[in-house]
Structure formats: C-alpha cells, structure tokens
Amino acid sequence: MFFTKRINVEKKVQPLNDTDIQSTDRMQNKLSYLQLNNKDLEIIKKLDYLFDKYCEDITERHYEMVGRFANLQNIIDQHSTRERLSNTFIKYLQSIPRSEINEEYISGRVKIGDIHSKIRLTPEFYTGSYIRVYEYLIPSIISEFGNSPEQLSELLLSLIKFITLDSQIVLESYQEGNDYKVVSNISSVMELITKINKMKDLLAVVDSTIAEAEAVAAAAEELSSSVEEVANNAINVSENAEETILQANNGQKVIEESLKGFLSMTEDFSETKEKINNLLKEIQNVTTVVSFIRDVSEQTNLLALNASIEAARAGEHGKGFAVVANEVRKLSEQTNTSVQKITSTIEKIQAEANEVDQNSDRMSTQLGVRVNKTRDAIDVLDQIITRIEDVGGATSNIAAIAEEQSAATQDITSRINEVLQHVDEIRTATKETGSTIYDASYKVNELRKEVLKSIPRLSGENLLRVMKTEYETWKWWIYNTMIEFHDLSEGDIARRQESRLSTWFTTIKNDPLIQSQSVFTTAEKLHNDIFTLANDALGAMKRGHFSEISQILEQLDTKTEAIKECLDELSLGVAERKTGKRHQHS
C-alpha cells in the first residue's frame, strides 16, 4: 500500500536559491528559475536503469502513435526513416539520466530544436512526445520508490525540472529557427522592395521624355506655321506663275514682232548697202572721167605752150595765134585747177563713202549677229515659258501638298500634345507608384521591427541575417530621400550610437564566436564606413545637394554589398561551429 506516510509539504519546499550549476549567464538564469541544481542531476542518475529498461518500449509506442497522424508520417517519409529516428530517440532517452549541463548537452538539445524547426514539426507534437515517457516512467518510479514518499517526490520533481529544462532548450532552439525563418522571410521581402531602386531613373527618363516631347511639340508648331506659310507662298507663286506665263506669252509676241521689223530693217539696210556700193562705183567712174579731163587739160596746156612758142617764131604773123594760144593755156590751167579741186572733193567723197561702206559692213555683221541672238533669245524665251508653265504646274502641286502637310503637321502637333499629356500622366502615375512602393516598404519595415521586438533575443545567424537587411534598409531610406519620399533626418540613421545597427554590431562584437573570425575586422571597417557615408548623406540632404547624395549612394551600394558578403561569411562560420559553441554566450 502506497503513501501511508504523510509528507509535510511546507517543510519540503526548499527556499529560493541560485543554482550551483556553472554555465552561461543565460543558462544560469534558466537553471535558477527552474531551481535545478547538481543535487537534482544526481537524483536523476538513479533512474538510468529505468530509462534503459523502457527506452525501446517508449520509442515503439511513440512511433506507433506518430504513424496514426498522416502529417507526422509524411514528415518522417520526407526526411528520414522510422528505423533511423527510433535509434536516435532511444539514444536521447538513455542520455537523460546521464546528462551534465555543459556545452555538449546544450549543443545536442539545440540541434534537436534545429532539426524539428527545419522539418516543420510543430511544438505540440514535440512536447506531446514526453507523455510517452511519463506513461512508462511515472508508474515505474512510483512502483520502485512508493514506500519512500520523500524520495519519490524528489525523483519526480528533479525529473520534471530536468525535462522542463530539456524542453525549454529544444523549444527555444526551435523558436529561434522559426524566428529565423520569419525574420529571413520578412527581411527578404524588405530586400526585394529595396531593390526597386529605379524609380529615380524612371522619373528622370519621364522628365527627359517630357522635355523632348515639349521640344518636338514646339518644333511641330513651328513646322506647321512654316508649312502653312510655304503653302500660302506656293499658292501665290502658282497664281503669279500663271500671270507670268501670260505676260511672257505677250512678251514673246512683242519680241517676235520686233524681230520681224528688225529683220525687215536688215533687209532694207542690205539694199542701202548695195546702193552705197553702186555709189562707190559711180564715184570711181567719175574719178576716171576727171583723170581723163586732167590728162586732156595737161595735153591742152602743152599744146598751148607749143603754140605760143610757134607764134613767137612767126613774129607779126603769129601774134593773133599767140593770143589764142595764151587763152587756151589759161583755160587749160583753170581746167587743171578745177580738176584738182574736183579730184580732191571726189577723193574726200570716196574716202567718206569707203568709211560708210566699212561702217555698213560692220553694221551688217552686227545686225546679223543680233538677228541670230534674237532668234536664240526667242528659242530661250520659248523654253522659259515652258519652264514657267512647268513651275506653275509644280507650284500648284506643291501648294496642294503643302496644304496637306500643313494639316498633317497640325495633326502631329495635336498628337504630340496628347503624348505630352499621357507622359505627364505617366510621370504622375510613376510618382504615385514610387510613393506606394515607399509606403509599402515603410509598412513592411514597421512590421519587421514589430517582429524583431517579439523575438526574445537575436544572436548568431539570426542577428547577422537581420543586420544584412538593416544595411539595405539604410541605403533604401537615403535613396527615397533623394526622390523626396523619405525624411532622412528621422529614424535610426540620424542617431549612430542609438541605432539598432550599432546595438547589434556591439552584440556580435562581444560574441567570441563571431569576433574571432578574421573577416570580422573587415566587417567592422565597412560598418564604420557605412555610418560615415550615411552621415554624409544626411549632411547633403540638409544642404539640398541631392546630386551629392546620388554619388554617396553609389559608394554606399558598394560598401553594403561588401558588408553583406562579410556577414554571410560570418554566418557560415557560426553554422560550422554551432555545435557546442553557438550558444556559449547565447
């Protein structure tokens, strides 16, 4: 018969004391809160034979129960086998009464939590599995130690303390794994949003498009005006061309009539020249007669002289004849004098007639040339009239085409104005989209911060993952400040020492597992560079130098990518050493 002896509960409850088990600060707190001491560990060791005795039965019953739940069986089928898991579970049960609260124990329980988190086994099924342990061990413990209520009480209480600690470590690791997933997912969302950093470029392109469209619109309006002017001028030219053709035709008739008169005058001049030639011939004949008279006069003078000589010889008988001879001589001299005058006059007339003849020849030649040129001019005038008629026709076509082009350019201007309106609408929509993206990023980041607040602690891989997103977020706020969606003076970025990044960096700096890695030095320098660049961006924003912020962003982008690589490398180093060491300072 059990429990025949009563226990004084008030006396058996121990006073609250710190644990005497040496461990990390965080583990010390857990142990003290559970009031788990080295004495408890010694008491549990007394149960080793019971764990060994029932571990296989507990395991068999446990996986028989698991097999009744399709979702649990699916997890086993996807990630392992019942045989492998049974062997692992048996070893775990056997380790409970033989455990010491050291690095190996902690890392082993952390590993269990990590595995359960990765295979998505929910906590209720994990904690529920301890019922299989209690189903066998509690009855067997009562059966073995029922005659000693105080010892039985100590055994059960120590076992419950230990299994509670065991569950806490496993579930904490499980929660950390889930927290990491949540943080990683929400950080990934935030990082995806921060990659939408082309809004500034898009706005610049839209503004450039608007400027170019406005320039095209102005040019189109100017072209429309020019084309309209060309059309009007072409119409005027076409109308003037018709009048010009009429005047040219009239001019051609006048010129042809003038040419006919000119040709008639040329013919008359030819007749005049012929008469001049006849006159020259007549003058030549007169000259011949005068020459003959001169010859006769000279002979007469000579005869008169001879007659005078003979009269002188005859004496008195020759006096009358001498008078006649003397008169004949005088007549001959007068005739000779007249002949000389006539000859001189005829020579002058002949010279002038020759000059007239020469001038007539030149005039005849020039008249011939002028006639030929006039005929050529008439041919050219015919061609000009033909060309004018062609130009008139072409001008009419140009006028018609120009009118069509004028209508087309007006249509182009109208359409370009519509394009301008659409582009302006695109710009408005782009800004609204950018603002919406910013609002979404702000809300996601607020959600991210709330999730981070709900996580009991951030360390190791979780903290490194969060920091990656935080650096990206800083760059994102600077970028949105540049496009006037964000105020850089607000938030952590303006308070270096109070910022989450500073706090988190101090945390990883104090973690030997992270700080001991060689890449940490590089990460620390990049961290300081990023803060400097952020402060530079803040100063540029206050001065309104947004082009300077753009240059800072380029540098910040390079630094951010570099520190993210460093954080990935640090995270990998933590993952490689997490067995036992991951939670040294957790």
Side-chain angles (χ1 to χ4, degrees):
M1 204 154 110
F2 300 129
F3 305 117
T4 56
K5 181 179 180 182
R6 292 183 175 273
I7 301 175
N8 189 335
V9 176
E10 289 77 6
K11 291 183 178 180
K12 296 304 295 182
V13 175
Q14 299 295 320
L16 296 175
N17 294 310
D18 292 335
T19 182
D20 59 354
I21 300 174
Q22 298 299 313
S23 187
T24 64
D25 291 341
R26 184 171 177 79
M27 186 57 64
Q28 290 285 128
N29 291 334
K30 287 181 181 298
L31 294 170
S32 295
Y33 191 80
L34 294 174
Q35 290 291 283
L36 182 64
N37 301 304
N38 281 315
K39 180 181 177 182
D40 295 305
L41 299 180
E42 292 298 324
I43 291 173
I44 294 172
K45 287 179 181 179
K46 297 177 181 179
L47 302 175
D48 56 358
Y49 71 96
L50 291 176
F51 276 91
D52 292 341
K53 179 179 180 181
Y54 294 109
C55 63
E56 292 183 2
D57 294 333
I58 294 171
T59 301
E60 181 65 26
R61 182 173 175 80
H62 172 66
Y63 283 104
E64 181 182 346
M65 179 62 74
V66 168
R68 296 187 179 189
F69 294 85
N71 59 323
L72 299 179
Q73 188 60 49
N74 287 336
I75 292 175
I76 294 176
D77 294 339
Q78 288 177 12
H79 300 283
S80 186
T81 64
R82 177 170 175 170
E83 182 180 359
R84 285 177 57 190
L85 292 175
S86 295
N87 291 332
T88 302
F89 195 59
I90 288 171
K91 290 179 181 178
Y92 166 71
L93 293 174
Q94 290 174 337
S95 71
I96 291 176
R98 298 175 174 85
S99 296
E100 295 181 9
I101 312 301
N102 55 23
E103 293 179 0
E104 182 180 358
Y105 165 77
I106 295 172
S107 63
R109 286 351 184 218
V110 166
K111 186 175 181 181
I112 293 172
D114 286 343
I115 292 172
H116 287 164
S117 175
K118 288 177 182 177
I119 65 175
R120 300 184 183 278
L121 179 69
T122 54
E124 65 266 22
F125 288 105
Y126 170 75
T127 54
S129 65
Y130 284 108
I131 296 299
R132 311 286 87 80
V133 177
Y134 296 143
E135 286 177 337
Y136 278 89
L137 289 183
I138 290 179
S140 62
I141 292 172
I142 292 174
S143 175
E144 291 287 335
F145 303 97
N147 292 326
S148 177
E150 292 185 2
Q151 187 179 11
L152 175 63
S153 174
E154 287 180 344
L155 282 169
L156 290 175
L157 183 59
S158 296
L159 179 62
I160 291 172
K161 287 180 183 180
F162 184 84
I163 289 181
T164 301
L165 174 67
D166 208 74
S167 300
Q168 283 185 351
I169 297 173
V170 172
L171 291 177
E172 188 176 82
S173 174
Y174 176 92
Q175 186 61 44
E176 283 186 10
N178 281 352
D179 290 344
Y180 180 80
K181 290 174 186 175
V182 173
V183 169
S184 181
N185 289 337
I186 200 168
S187 295
S188 296
V189 172
M190 189 64 191
E191 288 171 4
L192 284 173
I193 294 176
T194 61
K195 290 184 186 299
I196 309 174
N197 58 0
K198 299 300 179 184
M199 201 58 62
K200 173 180 172 293
D201 297 338
L202 181 57
L203 286 171
V205 170
V206 171
D207 288 340
S208 176
T209 302
I210 289 175
E212 291 177 3
E214 287 175 345
V216 172
E221 288 180 358
E222 185 176 348
L223 176 62
S224 179
S225 177
S226 299
V227 169
E228 187 175 354
E229 184 178 351
V230 169
N232 293 331
N233 291 337
I235 292 171
N236 292 333
V237 170
S238 178
E239 293 173 351
N240 292 334
E242 293 177 0
E243 185 177 350
T244 302
I245 292 170
L246 180 61
Q247 292 175 355
N249 286 326
N250 293 333
Q252 186 183 29
K253 292 177 182 178
V254 172
I255 291 172
E256 286 178 349
E257 290 176 359
S258 299
L259 183 58
K260 288 177 182 178
F262 193 68
L263 291 174
S264 177
M265 183 184 69
T266 302
E267 291 175 356
D268 292 342
F269 185 77
S270 297
E271 292 177 359
T272 302
K273 187 175 183 304
E274 186 176 350
K275 291 179 180 180
I276 290 173
N277 290 334
N278 292 333
L279 175 61
L280 286 173
K281 289 179 183 179
E282 293 296 329
I283 291 171
Q284 187 65 35
N285 291 335
V286 172
T287 300
T288 303
V289 172
V290 170
S291 296
F292 177 74
I293 293 171
R294 185 173 59 242
D295 291 341
V296 171
S297 175
E298 286 177 352
Q299 290 177 4
T300 301
N301 188 36
L302 183 58
L303 288 173
L305 181 58
N306 288 334
S308 294
I309 293 172
E310 289 298 328
R313 285 181 183 175
E316 284 295 328
H317 296 289
K319 285 184 178 180
F321 185 76
V323 172
V324 174
N326 189 38
E327 290 297 328
V328 169
R329 186 178 59 79
K330 287 180 179 180
L331 179 61
S332 175
E333 288 176 354
Q334 289 176 355
T335 300
N336 194 31
T337 300
S338 296
V339 167
Q340 288 178 352
K341 289 181 179 180
I342 291 168
T343 301
S344 176
T345 299
I346 288 172
E347 287 177 352
K348 289 181 180 178
I349 291 171
Q350 190 175 24
E352 289 176 356
N354 284 330
E355 186 174 350
V356 170
D357 183 53
Q358 291 174 358
N359 289 336
S360 297
D361 287 338
R362 285 196 297 272
M363 188 177 293
S364 179
T365 301
Q366 290 175 357
L367 283 172
V369 172
R370 295 292 182 273
V371 168
N372 291 332
K373 288 185 177 180
T374 303
R375 284 173 176 161
D376 292 340
I378 290 175
D379 293 337
V380 172
L381 184 60
D382 288 337
Q383 295 177 8
I384 289 172
I385 291 172
T386 302
R387 297 292 173 84
I388 290 174
E389 290 174 347
D390 293 341
V391 169
T395 306
S396 297
N397 292 334
I398 290 172
I401 294 170
E403 287 179 341
E404 293 177 359
Q405 290 301 314
S406 178
T409 52
Q410 288 176 358
D411 184 58
I412 289 171
T413 303
S414 176
R415 291 181 183 276
I416 288 175
N417 287 330
E418 289 180 7
V419 170
L420 265 174
Q421 183 179 352
H422 291 323
V423 173
D424 191 57
E425 291 173 358
I426 290 171
R427 189 181 191 282
T428 302
T430 302
K431 290 205 73 171
E432 290 176 354
T433 301
S435 179
T436 301
I437 292 172
Y438 166 76
D439 291 341
S441 69
Y442 187 86
K443 291 177 181 178
V444 169
N445 192 56
E446 289 300 307
L447 174 62
R448 174 173 163 269
K449 290 194 291 186
E450 290 300 318
V451 170
L452 291 175
K453 288 179 183 178
S454 69
I455 296 174
R457 63 191 178 91
L458 282 171
S459 61
E461 293 170 286
N462 284 2
L463 183 55
L464 293 170
R465 178 65 184 90
V466 169
M467 290 177 67
K468 281 178 61 177
T469 306
E470 193 72 7
Y471 288 116
E472 279 287 350
T473 304
W474 276 38
K475 185 176 67 175
W476 176 244
W477 300 144
I478 293 173
Y479 172 81
N480 278 276
T481 297
M482 188 167 58
I483 55 179
E484 301 179 354
F485 289 151
H486 186 72
D487 184 359
L488 194 63
S489 63
E490 297 179 355
D492 286 343
I493 206 166
R495 304 187 301 272
R496 174 170 181 170
Q497 298 305 323
E498 301 174 15
S499 70
R500 290 191 302 274
L501 264 178
S502 291
T503 303
W504 291 339
F505 202 87
T506 300
T507 301
I508 66 172
K509 188 174 183 179
N510 292 331
D511 186 343
L513 184 61
I514 296 175
Q515 194 269 343
S516 62
Q517 297 184 53
S518 60
V519 73
F520 179 80
T521 303
T522 304
E524 187 172 26
K525 183 179 183 308
L526 289 169
H527 173 78
N528 293 329
D529 290 345
I530 288 172
F531 265 105
T532 300
L533 288 170
N535 287 329
D536 291 344
L538 181 60
M541 185 274 294
K542 290 179 179 177
R543 296 190 299 272
H545 296 172
F546 291 100
S547 60
E548 187 177 340
I549 296 178
S550 182
Q551 296 175 356
I552 292 171
L553 263 177
E554 292 180 5
Q555 300 178 55
L556 194 60
D557 188 60
T558 302
K559 299 286 186 182
T560 301
E561 290 304 314
I563 199 167
K564 283 166 62 180
E565 290 178 2
C566 290
L567 294 175
D568 284 338
E569 191 170 340
L570 288 170
S571 182
L572 182 62
V574 171
E576 290 175 348
R577 302 179 182 127
K578 69 181 180 179
T579 302
K581 297 182 180 180
R582 177 181 176 187
H583 287 270
Q584 271 188 334
H585 293 266
S586 56

